[in-house]
Structures are given as C-alpha cells and as structure tokens.
Amino acid sequence: MNHHTKVLAIVTNYGVEQDELLVPVRHLRDDGVHVDIAAPTRDAIRTLVRDKEPGETVSPTHILGEVDATGYDLLLIPGGTLNADSLRMRQEAVDLVLAFTTSGRPVAAICHGPWLLAEAGVAYGKELTSFPSLRTDLANAGASWTDAALVTDDANGWRLVTSRKPEDLGQFLRGIDAALRLRASAAAPN
C-alpha cells in the first residue's frame, strides 16, 4: 500500500474482540497504512478475548464524535458482542458509516460489527456475513446473509467486506487489502 492510505477503526472503550481490532490494525500498519482508532472517550480501549477474558489494552487516537471521516480510504468495524451492541446505539458511529457509504468508500465489518450497518440502514440490498446470531437481524434489515469466511459485495455503489469470526481473519485481511488496492487504483491518475 502507499503511505497515503488511511483507515479508520471505530470501537467502544470496552468489549471489542481483541484480535478483530489488533490483527487488522497491525497488518495494515506493517503494510505502511496509517490507521486511526476512534472510541467514545480518550480512555484506554479494553479488549476482550471470546467476549470473556480481558485482552490487550489499546489507546484510541481519536474521539468518535470528533473524528472527521474525510480523507480515510476504508472504515473498519470490529466485533465483540458488547462493543458492537453499544456502538450501534451511538449516533456518531452511525454518522461515520453513512459518511463512508454515501461517498462510495469501502467498509469492512467482522463478527458482530455488521449490527452497526443494520442500525445505519445500509445493510439493505447487500450480500454479507457476520457472527451467525446476527443472521435474522441482518435479513430483517434487507441484507442477504451467507455463511462464508469472506463476503465482498459492491451493491449500492460501495464495497462491503464481511467475515464471521476471529478464525476468518486471514480471509478478512485479504478482503480489506483488495478493497484498498481497488480504491487506490480508482484514485490513481490515468
């Protein structure tokens, strides 16, 4: 990736699934991508492993309500039940999703992360996957749910990359990389 590529990850300060945040963030940063992490407050982000055990603690770079979506190439929405359930109740998180999707920029969501897409009203007409327990919610939101390690969908003018669980992270990273490459080639002068 080029060094101008920027990704925004959005989480709450407690309950994000450790690897669904840290594995993509480290992968992208190792690749030269600038990654920011926005949370509701400046407090440390306390991750969990399997929704139960305490995981690593991460410092946010931005506050959700103050981060400007302009200039980012992709929005990353990690899972974790508690994280995703409280994130979808935050209007500033919904607004960020809308800022990306209405401008045609890609969104990558894993596990319980797609709940936020349903809340923002942007799951409609998309083929996607998620943690299996979200299947009915996402179908009710107008999405077509598939049980696959990686689902990429370009309907409605923006790319959505989704995966089911931490075990799918290898495929999820490939989907994110492909979305960023596509965006970089589209933005490159002919």
Side-chain angles (χ1 to χ4, degrees):
M1 295 297 156
N2 68 52
H3 287 267
H4 303 296
T5 305
K6 289 178 70 181
V7 169
L8 177 63
I10 58 172
V11 297
T12 53
N13 294 88
Y14 180 76
V16 66
E17 186 66 37
Q18 173 187 275
D19 287 357
E20 293 172 3
L21 174 62
L22 295 185
V23 171
V25 166
R26 285 172 182 155
H27 167 81
L28 290 163
R29 285 178 176 165
D30 287 348
D31 218 9
V33 175
H34 179 93
V35 184
D36 286 325
I37 304 170
T41 72
R42 291 233 173 259
D43 300 320
I45 296 160
R46 291 163 58 205
T47 73
L48 291 177
V49 178
R50 302 279 166 212
D51 279 333
K52 296 187 290 287
E53 305 298 323
E56 291 183 49
T57 298
V58 191
S59 294
T61 57
H62 291 72
I63 289 180
L64 264 183
E66 294 171 5
V67 66
D68 180 358
T70 315
Y72 290 100
D73 296 291
L74 179 138
L75 180 66
L76 172 65
I77 310 169
T81 315
L82 294 167
N83 168 66
D85 197 31
S86 42
L87 195 63
R88 65 178 173 153
M89 302 319 291
R90 294 194 161 266
Q91 187 59 42
E92 60 268 40
V94 169
D95 289 345
L96 284 167
V97 169
L98 294 173
F100 277 82
T101 58
T102 56
S103 60
R105 287 176 286 166
V107 175
I110 186 167
C111 200
H112 290 80
W115 247 345
L116 181 56
L117 305 171
E119 194 69 39
V122 300
Y124 188 86
K126 295 297 251 188
E127 183 184 350
L128 48 68
T129 194
S130 68
F131 195 73
S133 63
L134 271 62
R135 180 180 188 155
T136 302
D137 284 352
L138 291 165
N140 288 341
S144 154
W145 193 89
T146 305
D147 186 12
L150 174 68
V151 178
T152 299
D153 185 90
D154 289 319
N156 306 335
W158 57 281
R159 173 163 287 196
L160 176 61
V161 176
T162 50
S163 291
R164 301 167 300 192
K165 54 187 192 282
E167 289 77 8
D168 297 339
L169 276 164
Q171 290 95 320
F172 189 57
L173 297 179
R174 284 198 284 280
I176 290 172
D177 289 347
L180 288 172
R181 276 196 303 275
L182 182 74
R183 180 157 167 81
S185 65
N190 296 326

